[in-house]
Amino acid sequence: MRHFLFLGLLFFVCTTSHAQSLSDKLKQLPIYQTFTDPQPDWLLDSQPYTARIFQDSQAKDLVLGNGLIKRRIRLSPNAATVDFQNLKTQEQFIRSLRPEARVTINGQTHAVGGLYGQREHAYFREEWLDTLRANTSDFQLIDFKITDFTPRIAWKPTTWSSSTALLKGQQVTLFFTSLQIPEVLVQVHYAVYDGMPVLSKWVTVQSIGQKPVVVDQIVHEILATPEEESAVVGSPDQMKKPQKLYVESTYAFNNAMRYELSDQATHWKRDSLYSSQVNYNYDTPCLLEVYPKGGIGQTLQPGQSIRSVESYELLLDGYDRERNGLARRRMYRSIAPWINQNPIFMHLVSTEPEQVKAVVDQCAETGYELVILSFGSGLNMEDTSAVNILKFKQLADYAHAKGIKLGGYSLFSSRRIDDATDVIDPVSGLPNKGAQFGHAPCLASQWGLDYIQKIKTFISKTGFDLLEHDGPYPGDLCASTMHAGHQGLADSRWAQMELQKELYSWLNERGVYINAPDWYFLDGTHKIAIGYREVNFSLSRQQQKILNRQNIFDGTWEKTPSMGWGFVPLTKYQGGGPEAVLEPLSEHLTDYLQLMMQYYGAGVQACYRGPRLYDTPETKATVQQVVSWYKTYRQILNADIIHLRRADGRDWDGIMHVDPNLPQKALIMLYNPLKQPITRKIRIPLYYTGLTTEARIREMDGATQTLTLNRAFEVELPVRLAAEGYSWFVVE
């Protein structure tokens, strides 16, 4: 075992109740002061919080922490998490000890680690630790290894990004073996990161014997947490789950465009051991288990290994929606740094070479950065013939010569191939009966395997810079026993997920940008729809302006601006008449301008779908003006959003971007939907700008006024907004 005695002693002194038993002289050391002095809000300044993993002074425990969170693992007589705290609030997330993981192999379930003998499960006392025992039939800890954190994806940014910083931290691997199943080695992995109250966990199972083993399931996280509420009656679905422990995993799908509705791995359960709970039927949801819905079902040959789902655990310090959203957005910016990329793009509805080149020229002239050959354009990435490859390579080369990137759309799901290829419904045994979108091929069929290879071939040979992947694998089960990439129902979902994950990682590591309408950010995708109903784009432009602002407001509570795309139908889309579209652009220039300002002012890229970006010199100048403005303030416009007031058509609405580390601390966008001008005094919350006493604010390029912050870090900003108009303000 590794001993980091000196460092461990200092951290132990500063973060546990045992400090009183150690020499007061330690408190005079400078490093001790860095732990005990008041530390800044991590959302304003994350620099002081450095990740460390070490053994404690008595070599009994492994400590993972960064000054914001701490997780402590008792190492003997077996490994078990005994302490999990938010150090800022002192909130404890462990009330009862459980195994480190649980694996089902060859049909038999085995605990990994764990300590037993706790009699009261409503809380835990430190003096009980030395009385607990191990179960010899469980997997036993034999060693551990501490290393620097290594990212899962070797990200290659090739477009504009608000940050290219890579996640830093430390990770530890705990090694377990079992006399009951000696042909298997289980590794439990943890990583803790600099600057945020987040740790991640995953499990690796390796076959080390002479025969194949079947891994049916891996439960990689088990936490018996304090309950969020106590109720005498109430089912687990009705009762609140713990709100200050946010868990996100690498196993999410179903096209909801929100993680909570896409999550397929986080399970809040009853705890039958907790006999002193208030709920008479023991129905309190206070036992967290993280594992993939539908199982794994993978056969490992000797020497092979499998990696479980990975979960990220964010400890929140309150119930404020905005603050918790900021915390999640900071987590995404760190654990999936590729989401900070946000190229300026348009959607072209043609693949005719002359029109593609003309739009590339328009992009170069107006400051756009990427052209996406849209759905309905005629692009077929599955055609890897020499003629098709040559056509699109020449177009990509032309775009690149102009400083413009080129990408395109491919449909995977929501389509029928044939009975031998499509997913087989487990209930009826028939194709096209159980697919989420009515029709869907199995990604692990031979057609699906060929599809992935064709996408890779097309992108590699043409030099395309983006894949817009519509209907990516949505989680469909497949009961076929004839598909090349999976054996049957038990492994069908896992196999398809792994194939898609590999494709997205492959693209990400080659600098290919990925738009995908499902929650695959942790697998390497860059952008998802911000959230909208497509038929709404057949409504009038006046309706679309307010609806778009509502979509932006609602879609940026958990997502950063760069994680979502919007939509602007330059030509007819999903029906609608002349009142819905912008073509001819010069005849609807006021609406075109405001729609651009709404999206660019939010930092959200919209799909401007049509045949061109401008049609007259005046239209061209307008597009150039907006894009130039956006690029001038691009850094702050890509910063996180504070939600001021949602659009309701009755009064002003607006949002504010904030970043305490930029010269522009905030940029405010305000809108007036009314048919008459309005004058208002708007209370602007400036806490997350980092300003404490005064703020210098100017409207557009006008004069600067200095306002004093009140004790709630707010200012009252007097504004006048034109009828059906907008304005923007810079805070310095």
Side-chain angles (χ1 to χ4, degrees), residues 603-627:
V604 175
Q605 298 301 329
C607 302
Y608 298 88
R609 186 174 187 270
R612 56 191 175 180
L613 285 172
Y614 61 82
D615 54 358
T616 66
E618 184 183 8
T619 307
K620 176 181 178 180
T622 299
V623 176
Q624 288 175 323
Q625 175 188 353
V626 174
V627 173

Side-chain angles (χ1 to χ4, degrees), residues 57-79:
S57 59
Q58 298 176 329
K60 287 185 175 182
D61 297 337
L62 192 65
V63 181
L64 299 76
N66 59 10
L68 293 167
I69 60 172
K70 179 182 69 173
R71 184 154 176 164
R72 184 161 53 96
I73 301 171
R74 177 54 58 103
L75 299 173
S76 179
N78 204 355

Side-chain angles (χ1 to χ4, degrees), residues 102-104 203 205 214-220 251 291-300 306-309 486-496 498:
R102 192 167 63 243
V103 295
T104 303
V203 166
V205 175
V214 177
V215 180
D216 303 292
Q217 185 61 282
I218 302 174
V219 182
H220 73 270
Y251 209 74
Y291 57 86
K293 181 180 178 182
I296 295 176
Q298 296 292 298
T299 299
L300 301 183
I306 187 170
R307 178 175 174 142
S308 75
V309 172
H486 73 103
Q487 296 179 349
L489 177 63
D491 69 335
S492 65
R493 178 174 285 162
W494 183 268
Q496 292 180 82
E498 288 297 294

Side-chain angles (χ1 to χ4, degrees), residues 74-141:
R74 177 54 58 103
L75 299 173
S76 179
N78 204 355
T81 295
V82 299
D83 181 14
F84 191 17
Q85 288 188 59
N86 183 327
L87 295 178
K88 288 300 183 182
T89 64
Q90 300 301 307
E91 187 167 1
Q92 175 63 250
F93 290 89
I94 300 294
R95 61 166 174 78
S96 177
L97 308 191
R98 299 303 155 97
E100 282 297 292
R102 192 167 63 243
V103 295
T104 303
I105 298 172
N106 296 332
Q108 299 295 317
T109 299
H110 308 266
V112 180
L115 295 172
Y116 303 89
Q118 181 177 348
R119 295 183 179 180
E120 172 56 68
H121 292 275
Y123 54 87
F124 186 79
R125 298 177 68 95
E126 286 288 325
E127 58 263 31
W128 296 346
L129 262 177
D130 291 334
T131 70
L132 302 181
R133 65 184 186 279
N135 186 339
T136 57
S137 64
D138 295 343
F139 275 81
Q140 306 292 311
L141 178 69

Side-chain angles (χ1 to χ4, degrees), residues 374-591:
S374 187
F375 46 92
S377 67
L379 175 66
N380 181 10
M381 287 192 183
E382 297 165 46
D383 181 358
T384 55
S385 65
V387 172
N388 200 50
I389 293 292
L390 179 61
K391 173 184 176 179
F392 289 102
K393 183 181 186 305
Q394 289 176 339
L395 290 176
D397 289 346
Y398 182 87
H400 294 161
K402 297 281 186 173
I404 303 298
K405 295 184 180 297
L406 185 66
Y409 170 95
S410 178
L411 178 68
F412 167 73
S413 195
S414 309
R415 61 189 284 194
R416 172 163 170 73
I417 307 302
D418 53 49
D419 287 354
T421 296
D422 292 355
V423 294
I424 302 299
D425 178 29
V427 178
S428 67
L430 299 173
N432 293 300
K433 297 295 183 183
Q436 181 170 326
F437 299 121
H439 304 284
C442 176
L443 190 55
S445 66
Q446 188 59 56
W447 180 93
L449 300 177
D450 293 341
Y451 171 86
I452 291 174
Q453 188 54 52
K454 288 175 181 177
I455 295 296
K456 290 181 176 180
T457 298
F458 183 92
I459 288 176
S460 296
K461 291 188 175 182
T462 60
F464 264 37
D465 305 286
L466 173 143
L467 172 65
E468 185 160 278
H469 207 195
D470 198 358
Y473 172 62
D476 291 326
L477 291 166
C478 180
S480 173
T481 58
M482 304 299 292
H483 289 165
H486 73 103
Q487 296 179 349
L489 177 63
D491 69 335
S492 65
R493 178 174 285 162
W494 183 268
Q496 292 180 82
M497 285 288 287
E498 288 297 294
L499 287 167
Q500 181 168 270
K501 287 172 183 287
E502 189 278 331
L503 171 62
Y504 290 160
S505 295
W506 184 90
L507 292 167
N508 187 302
E509 292 179 351
R510 283 157 181 77
V512 178
Y513 197 89
I514 310 164
N515 288 345
D518 218 332
W519 204 270
Y520 293 117
F521 292 113
L522 302 188
D523 297 325
T525 64
H526 299 74
K527 200 182 293 292
I528 196 172
I530 199 165
Y532 50 74
R533 186 178 178 87
E534 289 183 310
V535 295
N536 287 356
F537 298 112
S538 64
L539 300 175
S540 71
R541 292 182 294 276
Q542 292 303 311
Q543 289 172 281
Q544 287 185 45
K545 283 189 283 189
I546 293 181
L547 291 172
N548 287 355
R549 298 205 299 274
Q550 290 180 337
N551 294 338
I552 291 167
F553 195 93
D554 297 341
T556 52
W557 285 102
E558 287 87 26
K559 297 192 292 286
T560 68
S562 58
M563 291 168 72
W565 78 74
F567 197 84
V568 175
L570 303 181
T571 52
K572 187 175 180 179
Y573 178 73
Q574 296 278 344
E579 74 283 354
V581 300
L582 289 164
E583 284 282 3
L585 300 174
S586 58
E587 296 179 14
H588 307 106
L589 196 52
T590 300
D591 290 333

